[in-house]
Amino acid sequence: MDTVTRPRILVVGAGFAGVDCVRRLERKLSPDEADVTLVTPFAYQLYLPLLPQVASGVLTPQSIAVSLRRSRKYRTRIIPGGAIGVDLKAKVCVIRTITDEIVNEPYDYIVLAPGSITRTFDIPGLTDHAFGMKTLAEAAYIRDHVISQLDLADASQNEAERAARLQFVVVGGGYAGTETAACLQRLTHAAVKRYPRLDPRLIKWHLIDVAPKLMPELGDKLGRSAQEVLRKRGIEISLGVSIAKAGPEEVTFTDGRVVPTHTLIWTAGVVASPLIATLGAETVKGRLAVSAEMNLPGHDGVFALGDAAAVPDEAKDQEGAICPPTAQHAMRQGRHVADNVIAALRGRPLAPYVHKDLGLVVDLGGKDAVSKPLGIELRGLPAQAVARGYHWSALRTNVAKTRVLTNWMLNAVAGDDFVRTGFQARKPAKLRDFEYTDSYLTPDQVRAHVEESRAPQP
């Protein structure tokens, strides 16, 4: 009897791009047309732009983690694990499951949306002593850590230690760094009122970036407006400066300053997931070089998008322009690549991805924000309304929207209780503890593993 095997579509990554791709495939493909599988270590989609609000306690962690298992109508098989290599010739994805078992997952079509990791440099002590802001666990951990610094400063009898624990350094003047510094500064200045023994003037926040401007994508006027808001709050902004060395109790800046601190938050950009390097294919600044249709030239059935792919920006009249790694592009690319996978499956031509950037929003906490929707520059409450309205509308489920809206209202009315959970209180976790960058294979290791698994057993 002949057995008809349905085409296997494998989606790697459950970020904006991966989840939107999967949901589109489920809606547009009949159940007997293809099997869809999603590889992700966590069965939720994380709304990354709101991580600073989780760190500051404005939102609860589960409000921005949208479960992929909540609805019963979805038929995608979820493999709990991370892709650590892809053999393009054999059409096999190598996966390390959450039980540490390494398995091979064959595919006919693969959509690579593994996202990005925090970009680090060869700075002494950086990965040992800095925190990141890329995962839900990191945001929750940083909140605990920052509040614990107030507790430890309050308990300390040493003036130097107390001052060091109340100094905080954020590296990275992009959206993530600016919003992180803004939101956490509001947290510490609200919390210190509950510590009568602490002098609020001792709390100092430093925001530094090697670039000459803060958030240059916003333009000069809005960038200066954001700086003015932060400086009025007492945040010291240093541009053209980075970190020369990081230690457990102090940070040395490249301009020679030494800042006593127990808190260094590193948000200086991202790079494509190390999974991309396992393919042995052409890259552009670490991102996989793909066509405007988001497929990999020379490899049928291989698509890549989001932070991990250098997708040509067809909406710009600029040669070599690629789409920035933003949520609005990732979501639209996810839906578009799903349409192209279906087109390839049905023998139809692929369509290029074209999307004009809708603008930028930066939530600085409270009533402060700067936004540039459709090129219109906004500040203050109007900008805040646009920023939160955009984030709220981008949340994928009504449950998530309700939770976030409720959190915003409750925080605005009742404030924060400044509770820390004691998360890993006796085991400090730093940047390298949250991103498993040493788990990936080399291209040679991928091929060797696939060949070995296919060899006949004696």
Side-chain angles (χ1 to χ4, degrees), residues 25-45:
L25 289 171
E26 289 178 326
R27 286 195 299 270
K28 302 190 78 170
L29 286 173
S30 60
D32 59 350
E33 199 170 358
D35 291 328
V36 182
T37 302
L38 176 65
V39 181
T40 173
F42 306 106
Y44 60 75
Q45 179 190 23

Side-chain angles (χ1 to χ4, degrees), residues 80 123 180 251 303 318:
I123 298 173
T180 296
V251 171
F303 297 82
Q318 180 182 345

Side-chain angles (χ1 to χ4, degrees), residues 284-327:
V284 178
K285 295 182 179 179
R287 300 167 72 181
L288 193 64
V290 296
S291 68
E293 292 76 19
M294 292 178 284
N295 61 334
L296 183 61
H299 297 275
D300 292 336
V302 179
F303 297 82
L305 65 163
D307 292 8
V311 179
D313 194 342
E314 297 287 293
K316 289 184 178 178
D317 295 327
Q318 180 182 345
E319 186 177 353
I322 60 175
C323 296
T326 60

Side-chain angles (χ1 to χ4, degrees), residues 83-129:
I84 59 174
V86 178
D87 188 330
L88 295 175
K89 185 177 180 181
K91 289 200 167 187
V92 170
C93 181
V94 183
I95 299 168
R96 187 189 300 275
T97 68
I98 58 173
T99 59
D100 255 353
E101 180 185 3
I102 296 180
V103 300
N104 293 340
E105 185 67 24
Y107 63 84
D108 297 298
Y109 299 88
I110 187 169
V111 177
L112 297 168
S116 56
I117 61 171
T118 302
R119 179 181 61 183
T120 58
F121 300 97
D122 190 18
I123 298 173
L126 177 63
T127 57
D128 292 320
H129 303 295

